[in-house]
Amino acid sequence: MARPRRVDEGELRMEMTPMIDCVFQLLIFFMICTEIAQSELEMLVLPRASEAVPDDPPERGRMVLNVTKDGRIRWRGQDLTRQGLHDRLALQARLRLQRETGLSDQAILIRSDSEAEYRNVQTILQECAKVRIWKIELAAATAAKPKGRE
Amino acid sequence: MESRETHGAPEPEERRNRRKPGGPEVAGPDLNMTPMIDCVFQLLIFFMCATKFKTLEGKLLAYLPKTMGPHNVPSPEEKLPIRVTLHWNPHTRQAKVYVGQQYMGIADRGGIAAAETRVREIRTTGTEKAEIDAQPVLPFRYVSDTLNALIRSRVKEISFAASPP
């Protein structure tokens, strides 16, 4: 059995463990917060779709456009106007333009809130068509397939 | 009288750390819980984050036609696409579903499922294209549900009707 340790009266001991713990916790907290803030994915309620295919792996260089419930089109945390959307899409389209076909291989993922008006998605589709972007994906929450169907 | 310690019974912490009358303070062999709690919290945070990232979203492919303008006009021998129309009534907040001119029902009450069945029937005649014509004010989920139903009914080409500017 270990012999009890004597504690000298008047000795001031500084416990470093809780301080290091707090520091690590804060570090993790800020790392996660930064990650979320820079994320391209807005907090949206996506529509459910049984036929949705897993987005794994996502296409490299894909542009993610979010449509919020109140109808704003957002890209990397910024609101885009129609003109801004057109300019951004035109720029992205030029980067992956296929000279033979005149089409752009730039992929676009539209993440629209399920309650957002369709006009916003329609605007994106129209702007994509104008700049010859054809690879459009609509984000959906995966749902279990209904029973009795193929 | 024999003490409890001689029986090997666990000694309560209060008793161990109790200051003996007149003697110096004695620190007993205590179990430091801090590292364990830290590990637990670290694991908790890790799993919370991992669960969030693991929840993958799905996607519905909605590739736009690669042809535009005059090239997109169907030839006379080409069959017209199956047109699925979604009409939104803002007063009742209900979406009506039509396949061609035929009314299928309210979207939330089996209208989309009925449209899917009808599209499957039409497909047997050889039409492999479908077009979704939705009102701009329609909530997006109805468009998504219709697209999902058309994919399920194995339509090969699905397009979206453009509304007039």
Side-chain angles (χ1 to χ4, degrees):
Chain A
M1 186 179 162
R3 197 173 168 184
R5 185 163 47 90
R6 277 179 72 95
V7 177
D8 293 335
E9 284 180 0
E11 187 189 347
L12 199 65
R13 291 179 64 222
M14 192 166 163
E15 192 69 55
M16 295 294 282
T17 320
M19 194 195 72
I20 294 165
D21 297 340
C22 289
V23 169
F24 271 104
Q25 297 287 351
L26 282 167
L27 181 72
I28 291 167
F29 173 74
F30 284 115
M31 280 171 69
I32 293 168
C33 284
T34 312
E35 184 74 23
I36 291 166
Q38 288 177 349
S39 172
E40 288 189 316
L41 310 179
E42 300 273 338
M43 292 292 282
L44 302 170
V45 180
L46 297 177
R48 291 196 165 273
S50 60
E51 299 302 309
V53 292
D55 187 28
D56 190 23
E59 192 159 328
R60 287 187 69 184
R62 184 178 64 182
M63 190 178 175
V64 181
L65 292 168
N66 298 276
V67 179
T68 59
K69 192 178 176 180
D70 56 355
R72 288 175 296 146
I73 298 170
R74 289 174 67 81
W75 174 71
R76 289 190 180 171
Q78 297 175 343
D79 284 354
L80 293 177
T81 59
R82 181 143 191 173
Q83 187 58 45
L85 174 69
H86 176 83
D87 295 345
R88 175 53 55 187
L89 288 172
L91 185 70
Q92 292 293 126
R94 274 200 296 275
L95 295 173
R96 293 197 173 190
L97 184 68
Q98 301 297 308
R99 294 192 186 280
E100 308 83 52
T101 57
L103 296 165
S104 175
D105 277 350
Q106 173 68 44
I108 306 284
L109 176 71
I110 303 173
R111 295 181 74 248
S112 174
D113 192 284
S114 61
E115 292 302 318
E117 286 185 355
Y118 172 58
R119 74 169 80 237
N120 308 296
V121 177
Q122 212 172 23
T123 300
I124 298 171
L125 294 176
Q126 285 168 353
E127 292 301 330
C128 285
K130 278 183 196 170
V131 296
R132 311 300 307 271
I133 290 174
W134 60 278
K135 263 188 199 175
I136 308 290
E137 298 163 354
L138 300 175
T142 49
K145 287 191 178 187
K147 286 177 183 175
R149 292 199 186 275
E150 285 176 31
Chain B
M1 192 178 144
E2 216 171 31
S3 68
R4 284 179 66 183
E5 285 84 358
T6 54
H7 292 292
E11 188 182 15
E13 200 175 34
E14 312 90 77
R15 190 175 291 182
R16 269 194 286 121
N17 293 337
R18 194 172 58 190
R19 191 173 179 169
K20 288 177 183 171
E25 191 180 330
V26 175
D30 54 344
L31 189 69
N32 194 1
M33 297 291 282
T34 320
M36 195 197 72
I37 294 165
D38 295 339
C39 289
V40 169
F41 271 103
Q42 299 285 353
L43 283 168
L44 181 72
I45 290 169
F46 170 74
F47 283 114
M48 279 169 72
C49 297
T51 310
K52 173 84 180 165
F53 297 143
K54 193 68 187 171
T55 313
L56 289 171
E57 288 179 1
K59 61 187 178 187
L60 295 169
L61 301 179
Y63 292 166
L64 299 181
K66 291 183 181 179
T67 49
M68 285 183 76
H71 305 291
N72 204 21
V73 178
S75 57
E77 61 271 15
E78 196 177 345
K79 290 195 174 181
L80 288 171
I82 306 162
R83 195 176 187 87
V84 182
T85 309
L86 299 166
H87 183 84
W88 176 246
N89 186 335
H91 303 295
T92 57
R93 297 195 63 76
Q94 286 177 336
K96 289 180 179 175
V97 187
Y98 298 84
V99 175
Q101 299 293 322
Q102 196 178 350
Y103 176 61
M104 291 290 125
I106 303 291
D108 287 323
R109 298 182 200 158
I112 291 175
E116 185 186 332
T117 310
R118 181 73 188 122
V119 168
R120 279 174 192 269
E121 288 168 6
I122 299 170
R123 257 197 65 228
T124 55
T125 62
T127 312
E128 292 290 352
K129 292 181 183 176
E131 187 177 64
I132 300 172
D133 184 8
Q135 279 191 317
V137 289
L138 185 80
F140 176 68
R141 66 188 163 97
Y142 293 111
V143 180
S144 174
D145 288 349
T146 308
L147 178 63
N148 190 54
L150 291 175
I151 293 170
R152 203 160 47 210
S153 61
R154 303 286 180 264
V155 174
K156 284 180 183 166
E157 280 183 47
I158 304 165
S159 58
F160 297 90
S163 56

